[in-house]
Amino acid sequence: MKKKLFLLLLLLTIHCPINTTLAEQTESIPFLISSEQKQIDGSIFLTKIYEVAEDFDPSKLIENGYKKEGYLFAYHKTDKKVNENKQTKQLSESIAIETATDNKQGILNRLPQTIDYSKEDFTGVLSLDNNSIDTKPAAYKTQNTTVSTVKEYTELMAADNSYIPQTAEKEGQTLQLTNVNWAVMGTGLAGDTLVPTEYKATATYSKTISNKVPSSYVTTAIYTGTVSKPEPTTITYTLTYVGTPIKENSTIMEKAEKQAEEEFKKQNEQEIETKEIKEIKQNDTVFIKMLFGALLGILFSSGMVLLFHKKSQRGVKICNLQEEEYICIGYQKMGKEDFVIDLNPLYELIQSSCFYFVTDKYTAKQLYGKTISITLHDETKEQMIMPNSVSEYGQPYCFMLEIGGKEHEK
């Protein structure tokens, strides 16, 4: 009976750190991109591709001694690829210049064909959009111009300005007489004196007009292009494993597993017996024994409640990323034949496409070496369950998965 009570206490201590450090475990879990098994030149190879942070230790990804589809896989090599990640976006930038003329060619000569962009960590080169060039007057000045015309009048009998019209019309303007030049066109005798008998007048008409004309212009132009900013560098590791038929290794593996299991069981029994002896020596008075008995009763009741609670939660614990924290949104049983996690019943609780799954050690043990399917709407993804650096054999199994595309909208 005492052994069972201590086992219940041990379960309690195991349960607590899993819940309190769930967020920390999630941050350290590498993202598995793909897992593929194929045959090359008669040999079976398994490749697993992970994307991790730049400072992640790749040795933590290595897994050895697991079985799949009749083969035992052993680590072979790791290939590394550095991903220079960046965020890009299309944008437009407007600039303005001042010119003394609206001559398009002159303006084009002053506008650079490209400009450098550097704002909010985004950098890039933008190119001039010729169709966006717009020139408008910026300031005006007064300009005086003179409109004039010359008219000739002939067969005039005298050089008298009264014979000449005082105004003339040109380009819609009424011009005033400003000058007259006379020329003698004919003469005659008046007694013994030769006198002019016919004149020609050349009259000049003019008018000064004041106009406001642009003295300077402002040209706006739009530059467009793609800019980018760097994001944290990630590393893609491709791990390759070589498989051998389990028949050749089954005896060795069975002996090793059996020996490890016996040593673990023996070690636990020794620890429990040592604790029991110490407690018996310390509780040598009747009062302490009664108190200790009451305490054991409370622990037994708590342990039984915890045991039934743990049994009710056996299966898969489903967590969803909500406001930068993984929140448990439900549990799902996992049968021996039905290896499917259906997220659709939890649709109303889902707020993002990032999920974290935790299977208890009993469920994980029956799933090791098998592939389970995770479904949401019409999308299905697969996950192979096997011990790794995060979840060791015989312990709760944790894995992270992204499914569902767009963020859930209620």
Side-chain angles (χ1 to χ4, degrees):
M1 177 63 73
K2 289 183 179 180
K3 290 183 180 180
K4 291 183 179 180
L5 291 176
F6 279 103
L7 286 174
L8 290 174
L9 292 175
L10 183 60
L11 285 174
L12 181 63
T13 59
I14 293 175
H15 175 73
C16 293
I18 291 177
N19 288 335
T20 56
T21 62
L22 184 58
E24 297 176 0
Q25 289 182 1
T26 301
E27 293 177 357
S28 63
I29 294 176
F31 179 68
L32 177 63
I33 298 176
S34 66
S35 177
E36 181 182 9
Q37 181 176 326
K38 56 186 176 181
Q39 184 173 353
I40 302 176
D41 297 332
S43 299
I44 299 297
F45 292 90
L46 176 66
T47 57
K48 302 185 76 174
I49 303 176
Y50 294 90
E51 185 171 353
V52 299
E54 188 176 15
D55 57 353
F56 187 84
D57 182 5
S59 64
K60 295 181 180 180
L61 301 174
I62 298 176
E63 308 169 65
N64 267 314
Y66 58 86
K67 306 171 185 178
K68 182 186 176 184
E69 298 177 1
Y71 287 88
L72 178 68
F73 287 92
Y75 171 75
H76 176 54
K77 65 175 182 176
T78 298
D79 295 315
K80 176 181 178 181
K81 177 187 174 185
V82 179
N83 305 312
E84 299 290 345
N85 299 318
K86 61 182 180 180
Q87 180 182 349
T88 61
K89 66 177 180 179
Q90 291 282 339
L91 58 78
S92 299
E93 185 86 352
S94 178
I95 68 168
I97 62 171
E98 188 172 343
T99 60
T101 176
D102 60 352
N103 180 268
K104 187 172 183 179
Q105 187 59 47
I107 293 171
L108 280 173
N109 292 337
R110 288 196 54 189
L111 287 171
Q113 291 300 304
T114 59
I115 60 173
D116 293 328
Y117 181 90
S118 180
K119 292 180 182 178
E120 299 177 349
D121 297 330
F122 281 91
T123 59
V125 176
L126 308 181
S127 300
L128 173 64
D129 179 3
N130 289 330
N131 295 326
S132 70
I133 298 174
D134 184 28
T135 302
K136 294 180 179 179
Y140 291 87
K141 65 181 179 179
T142 300
Q143 185 180 59
N144 295 326
T145 58
T146 301
V147 179
S148 63
T149 186
V150 177
K151 292 183 179 294
E152 291 184 349
Y153 301 96
T154 60
E155 299 178 355
L156 300 176
M157 296 178 64
D160 186 352
N161 284 354
S162 63
Y163 290 105
I164 307 302
Q166 298 301 300
T167 60
E169 298 291 328
K170 183 180 180 181
E171 298 176 359
Q173 298 289 334
T174 301
L175 312 183
Q176 299 296 322
L177 178 65
T178 57
N179 187 43
V180 179
N181 292 320
W182 295 93
V184 177
M185 301 301 294
T187 59
L189 291 173
D192 294 332
T193 304
L194 187 65
V195 294
T197 58
E198 184 182 347
Y199 292 89
K200 181 180 76 171
T202 302
T204 301
Y205 299 86
S206 63
K207 181 180 181 180
T208 300
I209 301 173
S210 297
N211 292 318
K212 285 190 175 182
V213 296
S215 59
S216 64
Y217 296 85
V218 171
T219 297
T220 58
I222 296 176
Y223 290 77
T224 61
T226 302
V227 296
S228 63
K229 74 174 180 180
E231 292 193 337
T233 300
T234 59
I235 307 295
T236 299
Y237 288 107
T238 302
L239 281 73
T240 304
Y241 299 84
V242 180
T244 55
I246 290 180
K247 292 180 180 179
E248 300 177 4
N249 301 277
S250 57
T251 303
I252 298 175
M253 288 299 298
E254 288 175 1
K255 288 182 179 179
E257 290 177 358
K258 186 175 181 180
Q259 182 178 355
E261 188 175 339
E262 289 177 354
E263 289 180 358
F264 179 77
K265 183 177 180 181
K266 183 178 180 181
Q267 184 178 355
N268 285 342
E269 289 178 351
Q270 289 176 350
E271 290 177 356
I272 293 172
E273 289 176 359
T274 301
K275 290 181 180 179
E276 288 179 345
I277 293 172
K278 288 182 179 179
E279 290 175 357
I280 292 172
K281 289 181 179 180
Q282 292 173 355
N283 300 314
D284 52 357
T285 64
V286 176
F287 176 78
I288 295 178
K289 287 181 179 180
M290 292 175 63
L291 182 63
F292 182 72
L295 178 61
L296 285 179
I298 294 172
L299 290 176
F300 175 78
S301 300
S302 301
M304 292 301 293
V305 172
L306 176 63
L307 179 61
F308 285 113
H309 177 68
K310 292 294 289 182
K311 284 186 176 181
S312 67
Q313 293 184 345
R314 283 188 185 179
V316 182
K317 179 181 180 180
I318 303 170
C319 303
N320 184 240
L321 183 61
Q322 300 178 5
E323 298 182 355
E324 300 183 356
E325 183 179 359
Y326 279 93
I327 304 299
C328 178
I329 60 173
Y331 292 83
Q332 184 169 321
K333 297 292 185 179
M334 185 67 68
K336 294 182 178 180
E337 303 298 334
D338 182 18
F339 304 130
V340 177
I341 298 176
D342 187 3
L343 300 177
N344 289 295
L346 304 174
Y347 176 75
E348 295 296 330
L349 302 176
I350 297 172
Q351 294 186 13
S352 74
S353 60
C354 297
F355 292 87
Y356 190 78
F357 302 91
V358 182
T359 66
D360 64 276
K361 66 178 183 179
Y362 303 99
T363 304
K365 189 173 182 180
Q366 72 179 13
L367 292 178
Y368 279 135
K370 297 179 175 61
T371 300
I372 65 174
S373 298
I374 300 93
T375 62
L376 179 58
H377 306 313
D378 56 352
E379 184 178 357
T380 300
K381 289 191 175 182
E382 294 186 344
Q383 172 72 24
M384 184 170 62
I385 305 299
M386 60 179 59
N388 52 39
S389 59
V390 178
S391 305
E392 298 179 356
Y393 186 84
Q395 298 296 325
Y397 186 91
C398 311
F399 68 94
M400 186 169 62
L401 189 70
E402 188 170 357
I403 186 172
K406 287 186 177 180
E407 193 170 87
H408 172 71
E409 296 182 1
K410 289 189 178 180

